[in-house]
Amino acid sequence: TWNELTKDIKKPFTNRVTQQTYPPGSIFKLLLSAIAIEKNIISSDWEVECNGIYHFHDTAFRCWNTEGHGNINLLDALKGSCNIYFYNLMQKINFSDWSSETKKFGFGSTTGVDLPQEKKGLVPNKQYMNKRYKNSGGWSKGHLLNLSIGQGEISVTPIQIIQLINTIANKGTIYTPHLNINKDLIEQKINYKNDVWTFLRQSMYAAVNYKGGTAHNAKIDKEFGKVFGKTGTAQVCSNCDILPHGWFAGFIEMEDGRIYSICILIENGGKGSDKPSKLANKIFNYLARMTDV
């Protein structure tokens, strides 16, 4: 029985929350947006035309919406998770800045949760990319397009994603996660402008509650609380029949001030807008009806 469990390809002994890494998919568009607003690279009104395809030299990069989103601004790009918008935005950002700012949010390092063997994940920088692609010219802006939508070389743990959501929910304040209730809280602060957190919260609210939002399946009745969310659909291979990983990450804010954050990942579960968002709806409805807290 032991041998069956340890050799099982589904890895039942692996704590996926802390010990398994994945591409974050479109959830990482939140991070790129935060960097762009903080560094005044664009305003939230900056628009891009999405016709479903983005040509970069001799390569075609596509949006999940093959018909395109039309002219959209940053809020609509997050709400509808437009790939083309973020391909364009990534071209405006210095790769080194993207790497260093991403690490400020805890990616590429452990969270310090009181569980063993936590993985760090990977945040690529120029040195890493030059080493990996040393036989094909090193890093290039073409590589950055995949990184902009949470694909390519980036890898994260689900607990790192929930820490990103916690940072947004707490408007820049983040705490070391823990299971031991007697453990002292360690507070950290990401000193971004208040406008960054306000905008990200607005965008996540729109993704759940506005028409065309990819996270609309997570929506609950407003009388029970406000739901904020972002979906992700992370490809695990190209030109194959294996379904992508499906993500939903977000939080609910109650009228009494309580906030609960959740992160759902379904390995090879398909679109984040489908099963993960529907599961989030069930969890948020349950949390909203809890009275003995």
Side-chain angles (χ1 to χ4, degrees):
T1 299
W2 173 260
N3 287 335
E4 287 179 1
L5 289 170
T6 56
K7 294 178 181 178
D8 190 331
I9 60 172
K10 294 182 179 179
K11 301 180 180 178
F13 284 163
T14 299
N15 182 347
R16 268 111 168 131
V17 176
T18 58
Q19 297 176 338
Q20 193 74 29
T21 61
Y22 306 88
S26 292
I27 290 176
F28 241 50
K29 293 172 182 174
L30 292 169
L31 188 53
L32 180 56
S33 301
I35 296 169
I37 298 171
E38 172 64 19
K39 293 187 173 293
N40 298 314
I41 293 168
I42 62 166
S43 71
S44 58
D45 294 329
W46 182 64
E47 289 190 345
V48 165
E49 181 184 1
C50 170
N51 61 10
I53 190 168
Y54 180 80
H55 293 283
F56 186 80
H57 295 293
D58 59 348
T59 304
F61 293 82
R62 302 183 184 277
C63 189
W64 67 267
N65 184 342
T66 56
E67 295 181 356
H69 291 93
N71 287 328
I72 52 172
N73 59 23
L74 182 55
L75 188 145
D76 287 335
L78 283 171
K79 179 191 73 174
S81 203
C82 174
N83 290 349
I84 305 299
Y85 190 97
F86 291 95
Y87 292 152
N88 281 274
L89 178 56
M90 192 64 164
Q91 299 301 308
K92 292 179 171 290
I93 293 178
N94 180 282
F95 185 20
S96 295
D97 283 345
W98 179 86
S99 294
S100 60
E101 293 300 313
T102 297
K103 289 177 181 178
K104 284 184 182 179
F105 283 79
F107 295 101
S109 60
T110 59
T111 66
V113 65
D114 46 348
L115 289 170
Q117 299 176 319
E118 182 183 2
K119 291 284 184 68
K120 291 182 178 181
L122 173 66
V123 176
N125 56 21
K126 285 185 179 180
Q127 292 74 26
Y128 173 87
M129 298 291 278
N130 283 336
K131 183 177 180 180
R132 176 162 182 170
Y133 296 103
K134 63 181 180 180
N135 296 323
S136 54
W139 82 277
S140 71
K141 285 202 169 185
H143 292 127
L144 305 189
L145 299 183
N146 281 329
L147 295 176
S148 73
I149 61 169
Q151 296 280 176
E153 293 73 22
I154 185 78
S155 67
V156 304
T157 60
I159 199 169
Q160 290 172 336
I161 291 294
I162 200 67
Q163 285 292 79
L164 169 64
I165 299 303
N166 291 341
T167 305
I168 297 170
N170 292 331
K171 300 176 182 178
T173 302
I174 190 170
Y175 300 91
T176 301
H178 61 97
L179 299 180
N180 180 356
I181 60 174
N182 295 316
K183 189 174 181 179
D184 291 336
L185 283 178
I186 300 175
E187 179 181 314
Q188 303 172 59
K189 187 78 174 178
I190 296 179
N191 292 313
Y192 276 22
K193 296 175 294 193
N194 286 333
D195 291 350
V196 173
W197 313 120
T198 299
F199 180 80
L200 292 181
R201 288 164 65 96
Q202 289 174 343
S203 301
M204 293 174 69
Y205 184 82
V208 174
N209 297 282
Y210 292 176
K211 182 179 179 181
T214 58
H216 69 277
N217 280 325
K219 182 179 179 180
I220 68 170
D221 291 339
K222 291 182 180 179
E223 64 181 288
F224 296 115
K226 293 181 179 179
V227 171
F228 305 74
K230 183 73 188 79
T231 59
T233 304
Q235 301 292 332
V236 294
C237 57
S238 59
N239 299 319
C240 66
D241 295 328
I242 301 174
L243 287 175
H245 299 323
W247 290 92
F248 174 91
F251 62 97
I252 183 171
E253 195 170 64
M254 314 291 196
E255 285 192 4
D256 61 7
R258 287 181 294 151
I259 297 177
Y260 295 95
S261 58
I262 65 172
C263 173
I264 297 171
L265 168 68
I266 303 179
E267 293 179 343
N268 309 118
K271 294 180 179 180
S273 59
D274 189 18
K275 292 179 182 177
S277 295
K278 291 176 180 177
L279 279 174
N281 171 274
K282 293 180 181 295
I283 295 171
F284 283 136
N285 270 306
Y286 174 79
L287 292 171
R289 288 165 172 77
M290 288 175 58
T291 56
D292 185 18
V293 179

